[in-house]
Amino acid sequence: MRNQDQARSLFGVSLTDRPKWQQFLFCSSGFFFGYLVNGVCEEYVYNRLQFSYGWYFTFVQGFVYLILIWLQGFTVKQMVNPWKTYVKLSAVLMGSHGLTKGSLAYLNYPAQIMFKSTKVLPVMIMGAFIPGLRRKYPFHEYISALLLVVGLILFTLADAQTSPNFSIIGIIMISSALIMDAFLGNFQEAIFTMNPDTTQMEMLFCSTVVGIPFLLVPMILTGELVKAWKSCSQHPYVYGVLVFEAMATFIGQVSVLSLIAIFGAATTAMITTARKAVTLLLSYMIFTKPLTEQHVSGLLLISMGIILKMLPDSKPSARIPVSSVNAKHPKTSSKGVESVGVEEDEEKKALV
């Protein structure tokens, strides 16, 4: 478990002294609840009401986040990281949200699923290039992720009524969002790893405060700000749906940050990627829909990927904390200790 010295809690529930399976259960349950509601609301707003204003909806969501964080009792005085740390993070976060929501207007459902299902692979690859993290994964974890991706695509497209319909604009938007998501998760893990006193509320608060102004640029350039304002003014009940969606997504966001802080970006990406298959499977169980051979094949590959992920590493982790190095070599010369310290400082400088 990462950041063992830092007390972690989720909406008042302490996670620190609980076994890992309970930590996983609490965090993943919050995530599944939040994004299940989010999916229902998005379906209603985009498809039923025909409102495709991704930037504006993310803009409204940000203000709801700030109110909820304030109600949680977080203040700026509790920050442990400088504001500049969150500038890059916020730009990527808001850009990813906006592009993902905006791509819904250009890609049909099967095409969206195919792209979203691959998220875990770029997360694992990019982890090797993030300063302060430089994470390397065993070969079997890459195979695990590949099995999960293929299985999820097979399962989710099993009962699709249409073939994937690809639009150039949609592909560019969703691909950019995937790259941003890969950087985002690893960058968040690096912040938690290098400064364990960072809380989930701080990261969400700072990312939102710094990120909201970034949304104004595309909204003004595309004219979406005026169009969305007029449309929502004519149908004010849309704001009620957006606020409800933001409240549920807030629970999901904090849960995801808890997963990243405790289990890492790659494991979190696998959980978020598998969410669609789990929710679809539940719908089949609740409404007693028949499962096809493609459904079974997809579930089998997903199960194989999860089991392979649970296998213990045959080699020790590539990254060794500086504290562990000092503990194992107490008689290291001052020059050696100084070089280690300089290397760690360089990593921190690159991170922030």
Side-chain angles (χ1 to χ4, degrees):
M1 183 179 69
R2 293 168 175 81
N3 303 334
Q4 295 180 353
D5 296 331
Q6 168 62 23
R8 295 285 172 197
S9 63
L10 183 63
F11 299 112
V13 179
S14 177
L15 301 175
T16 307
D17 299 326
R18 297 178 182 273
K20 290 185 68 174
W21 71 268
Q22 288 188 13
Q23 295 176 344
F24 181 84
L25 180 63
F26 277 114
C27 296
S28 57
S29 297
F31 162 74
F32 273 92
F33 168 77
Y35 281 92
L36 179 61
V37 175
N38 171 266
V40 173
C41 292
E42 282 192 348
E43 173 74 17
Y44 179 74
V45 171
Y46 280 96
N47 295 333
R48 299 291 179 86
L49 302 181
Q50 298 297 313
F51 287 149
S52 301
Y53 304 117
W55 299 107
Y56 184 76
F57 292 166
T58 305
F59 185 74
V60 174
Q61 186 182 67
F63 285 100
V64 178
Y65 280 5
L66 294 179
I67 294 174
L68 293 174
I69 293 171
W70 175 73
L71 291 175
Q72 290 288 318
F74 178 82
T75 63
V76 178
K77 294 181 180 179
Q78 299 174 21
M79 288 178 56
V80 296
N81 292 302
W83 280 101
K84 63 180 182 179
T85 302
Y86 295 101
V87 173
K88 290 185 290 185
L89 186 66
S90 301
V92 174
L93 178 63
M94 291 301 176
S96 173
H97 282 186
L99 288 170
T100 300
K101 291 179 181 290
S103 68
L104 298 176
Y106 298 95
L107 298 174
N108 66 354
Y109 176 76
Q112 296 168 32
I113 291 301
M114 289 188 66
F115 277 97
K116 290 181 179 179
S117 298
T118 63
K119 177 180 176 179
V120 64
L121 294 176
V123 168
M124 297 179 71
I125 294 172
M126 191 166 289
F129 303 99
I130 300 298
L133 197 60
R134 307 294 185 189
R135 190 166 300 285
K136 295 182 179 179
Y137 298 95
F139 180 73
H140 76 269
E141 291 200 16
Y142 287 100
I143 300 299
S144 170
L146 185 61
L147 289 172
L148 179 64
V149 167
V150 175
L152 184 58
I153 292 175
L154 283 176
F155 185 87
T156 53
L157 298 185
D159 55 352
Q161 300 298 318
T162 58
S163 300
N165 181 23
F166 300 103
S167 163
I168 297 297
I169 297 177
I171 291 174
I172 294 174
M173 293 179 72
I174 197 68
S175 299
S176 300
L178 282 173
I179 295 173
M180 289 182 175
D181 279 340
F183 175 81
L184 179 67
N186 284 292
F187 192 41
Q188 288 172 327
E189 182 185 353
I191 294 173
F192 281 126
T193 300
M194 300 184 68
N195 194 343
D197 290 329
T198 305
T199 63
Q200 301 96 307
M201 289 300 168
E202 175 187 332
M203 185 167 292
L204 188 57
F205 171 79
C206 295
S207 301
T208 304
V209 169
V210 179
I212 284 178
F214 284 102
L215 293 174
L216 290 173
V217 177
M219 284 195 298
I220 294 174
L221 292 178
T222 60
E224 182 174 314
L225 180 60
V226 177
K227 294 178 183 178
W229 176 263
K230 290 181 178 179
S231 297
C232 293
S233 297
Q234 295 174 359
H235 306 279
Y237 59 88
V238 174
Y239 284 110
V241 178
L242 293 180
V243 170
F244 180 71
E245 176 191 358
M247 293 173 67
T249 310
F250 175 77
I251 296 175
Q253 280 283 342
V254 177
S255 300
V256 165
L257 290 174
S258 301
L259 284 169
I260 292 174
I262 298 173
F263 296 99
T267 300
T268 303
M270 295 189 72
I271 297 170
T272 57
T273 300
R275 171 181 63 91
K276 189 64 179 180
V278 173
T279 51
L280 282 177
L281 180 60
L282 287 175
S283 70
Y284 275 83
M285 296 172 62
I286 294 173
F287 298 105
T288 61
K289 300 178 183 179
L291 291 174
T292 66
E293 292 183 0
Q294 187 171 335
H295 284 115
V296 176
S297 299
L299 287 174
L300 181 61
L301 290 176
I302 292 172
S303 301
M304 291 172 62
I306 294 174
I307 293 173
L308 193 58
K309 168 67 177 176
M310 296 172 62
L311 293 177
D313 296 340
S314 58
K315 296 181 180 180
S317 176
R319 291 188 73 248
I320 303 176
V322 176
S323 58
S324 299
V325 175
N326 293 338
K328 291 181 180 180
H329 304 283
K331 295 183 180 180
T332 303
S333 65
S334 58
K335 182 178 180 181
V337 175
E338 182 180 354
S339 64
V340 173
V342 170
E343 182 177 346
E344 183 186 18
D345 288 341
E346 290 299 321
E347 288 283 276
K348 290 185 177 180
K349 288 179 182 178
L351 175 65
V352 299

